[in-house]
Amino acid sequence: MCAGRGGMGTLATEGYVRLLDARTDAHADQEYLDYVVFNDAGVPDRTAFILKRSDEDPVPAILDDIDKATAIGASFLVLACNTEHYFFDRFQERTSVPILHMPRLAVREMSQRFPAHSHPRVGFMGTEGSRAAGVYRREVEAAGYVFVEPDDALQHRVDSLIYDDVKGGRPLDPQRYRAVIEAFLAEPYDCDIVLLGCTELSVFNERFPMPELPLVDAQSVLVDETVRRAKALLAD
């Protein structure tokens, strides 16, 4: 059994669960995976805390969910939020249950699909908190890539997709989404790959897939690894 931490935001968590069920390739109720989802929507905003715009610490609420998931006997844990990986070491120290690390999994997948020697420049789309915290920078640079951050103007466009569209409930516009991606691929960024490092952006990617573009969706990678691990447990 796996346990997933969600509610950050809820629509992104729904997307994770929906993909998880679809990729399980089940043909009867009994063939789906056993999992528990903690949709803890009351967790304080991670970005606001990381950027010191709020003194509401999100960690205690998340640790409480980790304690509950550990108590019910989860075989591994999933954090369905990229930004909260800033606190990953504190979470893993709390439990003996392994926690999947979404940024590391995403970079591993990126290395297989788009090797650094031929696709060196990686544009990062994620929250301002993830950008400031270096959640992805460390993993991307350790894998031999050039990590390309948006300037403040482009970051504002990314944030608008995350907070105004997905979290805020505004109708999703595929052209707005595509325009931001193409900004990373064009001058002055000249990225070879765009890494979707926010699960709200994964909502866009699920709704409007663009396989012709060099995208890596961290949540999609996490779903695949969840299915692989869960099925391996069933086979033991």
Side-chain angles (χ1 to χ4, degrees):
M1 179 182 67
C2 68
R5 277 272 310 118
M8 305 175 294
T10 294
L11 291 181
T13 304
E14 287 180 4
Y16 169 81
V17 172
R18 187 165 51 248
L19 287 176
L20 184 66
D21 290 340
R23 295 183 187 177
T24 301
D25 193 29
H27 303 285
D29 288 346
Q30 294 74 24
E31 294 178 1
Y32 285 96
L33 302 176
D34 294 329
Y35 56 80
V36 174
V37 177
F38 290 83
N39 188 59
D40 196 347
V43 175
D45 187 273
R46 282 68 55 206
T47 291
F49 183 76
I50 291 169
L51 296 178
K52 302 187 186 307
R53 295 172 182 167
S54 169
D55 59 3
E56 290 189 85
D57 188 349
V59 170
I62 299 171
L63 289 176
D64 182 62
D65 290 339
I66 288 173
D67 289 344
K68 291 172 182 174
T70 302
I72 64 176
S75 299
F76 62 92
L77 306 179
V78 172
L79 305 175
C81 170
N82 285 276
T83 305
E84 73 175 356
H85 283 74
Y86 175 71
F87 311 103
F88 181 86
D89 291 343
R90 293 173 66 183
F91 299 155
Q92 189 60 85
E93 289 171 0
R94 183 73 166 214
T95 180
S96 60
V97 178
I99 304 175
L100 302 191
H101 194 294
M102 181 158 40
R104 291 173 188 163
L105 292 170
V107 172
R108 185 180 71 183
E109 171 76 10
M110 183 173 69
S111 298
Q112 295 169 354
R113 291 177 52 202
F114 305 108
H117 65 83
S118 57
H119 297 74
R121 295 178 62 80
V122 179
F124 175 69
M125 287 178 64
T127 65
E128 191 178 356
S130 288
R131 184 183 69 161
V135 171
Y136 271 90
R137 174 182 286 278
R138 290 186 294 273
E139 305 300 331
V140 168
E141 291 183 342
Y145 294 91
V146 176
F147 186 80
V148 181
E149 292 183 351
D151 64 13
D152 288 344
L154 185 53
Q155 180 65 50
H156 178 74
R157 294 170 66 187
V158 174
D159 286 343
S160 183
L161 293 174
I162 295 168
Y163 291 100
D164 297 330
D165 295 4
V166 180
K167 290 183 182 291
R170 189 163 67 184
L172 304 187
D173 182 346
Q175 296 307 314
R176 269 171 42 84
Y177 168 58
R178 187 183 189 102
V180 174
I181 294 171
E182 290 180 342
F184 279 92
L185 299 175
E187 294 181 349
Y189 297 100
D190 294 316
C191 295
D192 302 292
I193 312 161
V194 176
L195 177 56
L196 304 180
C198 176
T199 48
E200 270 69 37
L201 298 173
S202 299
V203 173
F204 270 100
N205 194 49
E206 181 190 3
R207 187 81 57 84
F208 310 113
M210 300 179 184
E212 72 279 10
L213 298 181
L215 297 176
V216 176
D217 180 350
Q219 178 168 270
S220 179
V221 174
L222 180 66
V223 168
D224 287 341
E225 180 65 10
T226 302
V227 172
R228 187 194 69 78
R229 290 205 179 203
K231 288 192 172 184
L233 288 169
L234 291 173
D236 289 344

